[in-house]
Amino acid sequence: MIAFDLETVWSSSYSVAKMGLDRYVKDPRFQVTLVSLWSPEFNWVGKPADLPVEKLNGQDLCAHNAEFDSVCARTGISRGQMPAFSPASWTCTADMAAWHQFPRSLAGAIKHMFGETLSKEAREQMAGLDPETIASSQAFRDYALLDAKNCYRLYEQFEETWPEKEAILSQLTRRIASRGLPLNGTLCQEAIAKLDEAIDETDAILPWTGAAPATSPTALADACRLAGAKPPPSTNEDDPKVEAWKRGNPDQAVWLEAMSRRRKVQKAQKQFMGLILRSRPDGRVSTRLKYCGAQHTGRWSGAGGLNFQAIPRAAVEGASMKSCLAAPAGKVLVTADLSQIEPRILHWLAGDLDFLSLVRGGIDLYEAHGRASGLYAEDEPMKDFAPGLRHLCKARTLGLGYGCGAKRFSQVAHALTGGKLDLSFAAARNEVMSYRKQNPLVLKLWDQLDEAVRWFLERDEDVGEILTPNGKPIKYFNLREKSGELLASTVPGAGDKKLFGGLLAENLVQATAREVFADALIRIEAMGLPICLHVHDSVTVEVAENEGERALEALVQALSEPPAWADGLPLAAEGEIKGHY
């Protein structure tokens, strides 16, 4: 194993943090300035053009943020800044640290593992400097080589405890990003034009256009007062008080509506521009995700400056971001997702056999909750005979399994049912109490998890943990009790969280769901189906048009099959074949 680290040109206006990796390497200013290598056998630091590729060909490399280093290396090679080389593999020590729930950054990981403080002063001094100045500075060369050495030290620390499965998933995350999704740039440009028209329309409505930002609450309040009207209590149109204000101030309500429209349009426009700015020469856009982005659950999160986990489902002003991610001629995109994975896992962990047997027998999940809770006993399907009750059961199933209180449940129920369920505080409180009485096994799981974490506290240990069914630990650092409440952080040095049974159950369920989904991802790749994106509990592959049906069947089968360690977990999946994402 050889640790690999490279430095690149950057400044306050040109950086990965500001632009995302794809825009950064696409920019004509991109330049590799230094490369450093470190292993117990040798070390080297120098200009990229002088890179000793004979040391690297066929070798396993590790880098702290292997995605950055590998992408920058490929870009540097393609631009003639460094000679070509072909390593056997890349291992990411940032991913290794993240899986262990340690700080992801190099400085944070080194501080936690070795108690050493790394200075970033040299890197800060590189900002805006030309490549020759950076490469000729001994201080910068020493800094770069030390980064490579520390990367190797982390690799040695984590090598034995990082599971092979996780190494595969880390590499797969980068492979998926490099495949990316096909992008219809023409549709993107047309969408941006539509959004420009919408912006012009809102500007024509707002009386402060040109004098203040269009979405300024202060400008709205000033305009209302000038018109002799009281400003709205907030700009949240879902707020009942705002609804009442709109009814009482119809002339000013159009301003608030225009502001809300403008805010949505601006957000969508930024997303469409992000697609175009990150488009590659091959007509695709990289689908970057952060491995173990949520470190305590292991779930992936958005990365690269464009969050593919937050692509809008609905079109905005007739402009659909999903439609722009369109398969080329002769190809289709096949997507499948796990159905209601979290409540299935919650009741499986709780040992709720009545609920599980109903679900396993093919009964709709929300109807199963109603029957198991004694809310429904008719022979007819609930969705046909009692659709209103099904909305309530959906809200209870998805909203109350983690200790949600009445006020929050009222909001959750409204959101989960698309506004079809509007509960008063008293009604929401009754549902919370009813759920807890009717689901004693879920509450027992909360108590067991709370006791499991307190077990560590009683033994004066400041790190507690709970285990997923396949043995993945979820750790809680700096564990302590204050005024009767459990406090801890999920990453050393991060902010505290208040721990309670419902939250611990949520963590355990989501971590278990991640493990189930991760196993499926590996099986799907092994089937020869090239994953080009996965979001939450759904996965998308790109295949030839005549292979779409076979791919869909294979995806549903892979997602519906529980791992060997999850015997009795009733999984289900569904999917579709489309010409776009």
Side-chain angles (χ1 to χ4, degrees):
M1 180 64 67
I2 299 173
F4 182 101
D5 182 80
L6 54 73
E7 303 294 333
T8 56
V9 165
W10 72 281
S11 66
S12 59
S13 61
Y14 170 64
S15 67
V16 175
K18 182 178 287 290
M19 304 170 70
L21 181 56
D22 295 294
R23 284 184 64 196
Y24 178 76
V25 298
K26 186 179 177 181
D27 194 283
R29 290 171 287 182
F30 176 82
Q31 177 77 47
V32 180
T33 58
L34 276 176
V35 180
S36 54
L37 310 174
W38 204 94
S39 76
E41 289 74 33
F42 83 101
N43 60 76
W44 180 89
V45 60
K47 296 179 179 179
D50 300 330
L51 185 67
V53 293
E54 70 279 0
K55 298 280 191 181
L56 303 178
N57 287 321
Q59 292 293 318
D60 295 316
L61 304 182
C62 64
H64 203 80
N65 192 348
E67 183 167 62
F68 173 83
D69 286 273
S70 61
V71 169
C72 288
R74 288 197 298 271
T75 304
I77 290 168
S78 69
R79 295 195 184 184
Q81 297 172 8
M82 56 197 297
F85 64 95
S86 299
S89 68
W90 289 88
T91 296
C92 183
T93 52
D95 285 355
M96 297 173 97
W99 183 86
H100 288 84
Q101 289 182 240
F102 298 151
R104 184 183 291 272
S105 71
L106 181 63
I110 290 295
K111 179 69 173 178
H112 177 74
M113 296 302 298
F114 304 109
E116 301 170 8
T117 300
L118 297 184
S119 171
K120 288 293 181 182
E121 182 179 351
R123 184 179 184 279
E124 297 301 322
Q125 292 173 352
M126 292 183 196
L129 297 181
D130 62 88
E132 188 62 36
T133 300
I134 293 173
S136 61
S137 167
Q138 188 60 48
F140 294 159
R141 293 161 70 95
D142 291 344
Y143 162 82
L145 189 59
L146 181 61
D147 271 4
K149 180 180 180 179
N150 282 322
C151 173
Y152 191 91
R153 293 170 72 195
L154 291 177
Y155 173 80
E156 283 189 314
Q157 287 290 313
F158 298 139
E159 180 186 11
E160 296 297 323
T161 53
W162 198 40
E164 181 182 2
K165 163 191 162 183
E166 295 301 325
I168 293 171
L169 290 166
S170 170
Q171 294 170 4
L172 178 58
T173 302
R174 298 194 296 275
R175 193 179 312 130
I176 290 170
S178 67
R179 288 172 183 153
L181 281 169
L183 178 67
N184 187 322
T186 301
L187 277 182
C188 267
Q189 295 287 2
E190 293 174 355
I192 291 172
K194 288 181 182 178
L195 297 172
D196 282 338
E197 292 175 4
I199 286 176
D200 290 340
E201 291 174 8
T202 60
D203 285 349
I205 295 171
L206 299 174
W208 59 86
T209 296
T215 58
S216 168
T218 301
L220 171 63
D222 290 343
C224 288
R225 294 189 188 98
L226 193 62
K230 185 178 180 181
S234 75
T235 57
N236 178 12
E237 291 198 88
D238 292 330
D239 185 342
K241 293 180 180 179
V242 173
E243 286 294 328
W245 176 87
K246 288 169 65 176
R247 289 192 296 271
N249 300 273
D251 293 338
Q252 289 72 43
V254 297
W255 300 341
L256 178 58
E257 291 166 357
M259 280 180 61
S260 298
R261 181 186 178 195
R262 175 66 176 261
R263 192 176 291 114
K264 293 174 184 176
V265 168
Q266 286 181 172
K267 181 179 179 180
Q269 193 173 56
K270 183 178 180 181
Q271 291 171 322
F272 281 105
M273 287 298 298
L275 285 175
I276 290 176
L277 291 171
R278 289 166 177 81
S279 61
R280 307 186 317 213
D282 62 359
R284 304 176 75 87
V285 59
S286 300
T287 47
R288 304 205 182 280
L289 297 173
K290 183 181 289 186
Y291 166 90
C292 285
Q295 290 177 232
H296 59 305
T297 64
R299 287 191 161 188
W300 287 261
S301 64
L306 185 64
N307 188 358
F308 277 92
Q309 296 205 346
I311 296 176
R313 292 178 177 270
V316 178
E317 303 290 336
S320 169
M321 190 172 175
K322 287 192 169 187
S323 295
C324 293
L325 299 168
K331 294 286 189 74
V332 290
L333 295 176
V334 184
T335 299
D337 67 282
L338 285 160
S339 303
Q340 305 113 353
I341 180 64
E342 287 195 26
R344 292 170 187 266
I345 288 178
L346 174 64
H347 288 272
W348 177 69
L349 291 171
D352 190 345
L353 299 181
D354 290 342
F355 176 85
L356 295 175
S357 63
L358 290 169
V359 173
R360 200 174 291 114
I363 291 180
D364 170 77
L365 187 84
Y366 309 131
E367 180 176 335
H369 168 74
R371 291 183 182 278
S373 300
L375 300 175
Y376 190 72
E378 303 297 332
D379 293 335
E380 294 84 354
M382 182 189 286
K383 65 180 180 180
D384 299 327
F385 189 76
L389 178 59
R390 186 176 183 276
H391 290 316
L392 176 61
C393 288
K394 176 180 181 179
R396 285 167 51 115
T397 301
L398 300 179
L400 293 178
Y402 303 141
C404 181
K407 182 178 179 179
R408 176 62 178 156
F409 180 60
S410 177
Q411 300 166 345
V412 167
H414 186 272
L416 287 173
T417 60
K420 295 183 178 67
L421 197 61
D422 195 6
L423 299 176
S424 66
F425 177 81
R429 181 178 57 190
N430 287 339
E431 291 302 331
V432 169
M433 295 172 64
S434 173
Y435 177 91
R436 296 182 181 183
K437 182 178 180 180
Q438 294 159 352
N439 292 269
L441 292 175
V442 172
L443 268 67
K444 182 179 178 181
L445 176 65
W446 298 352
D447 291 340
Q448 289 172 336
L449 294 173
D450 185 83
E451 291 172 6
V453 172
R454 288 183 181 277
W455 183 89
F456 293 93
L457 194 64
E458 291 166 0
R459 284 154 181 77
D460 294 326
E461 297 184 31
D462 64 355
V463 179
E465 67 177 35
I466 55 179
L467 299 177
T468 63
N470 67 333
K472 164 66 172 74
I474 306 171
K475 297 179 181 179
Y476 298 95
F477 301 91
N478 193 23
L479 180 66
R480 63 200 186 282
E481 189 172 24
K482 184 178 181 180
S483 302
E485 294 181 344
L486 278 179
L487 300 175
S489 61
T490 53
V491 176
D496 285 336
K497 293 180 181 291
K498 176 184 172 183
L499 303 184
F500 55 94
L503 178 65
L504 294 171
E506 182 178 20
N507 290 172
L508 180 59
V509 167
Q510 291 185 349
T512 303
R514 185 270 190 189
E515 295 298 300
V516 169
F517 186 63
D519 285 358
L521 291 179
I522 294 174
R523 289 198 300 272
I524 290 166
E525 277 285 313
M527 291 175 179
L529 295 172
I531 301 171
C532 50
L533 179 63
H534 62 85
V535 174
H536 306 308
D537 304 313
S538 74
V539 57
T540 299
V541 300
E542 181 183 352
V543 297
E545 193 170 354
N546 61 2
E547 296 177 357
E549 291 292 344
R550 182 191 68 83
L552 178 58
E553 182 180 345
L555 287 182
V556 170
Q557 178 184 345
L559 290 171
S560 302
E561 179 184 339
W565 52 265
D567 184 46
L569 174 60
L571 296 178
E574 56 186 3
E576 60 183 345
I577 304 169
K578 301 184 74 172
H580 62 80
Y581 179 63

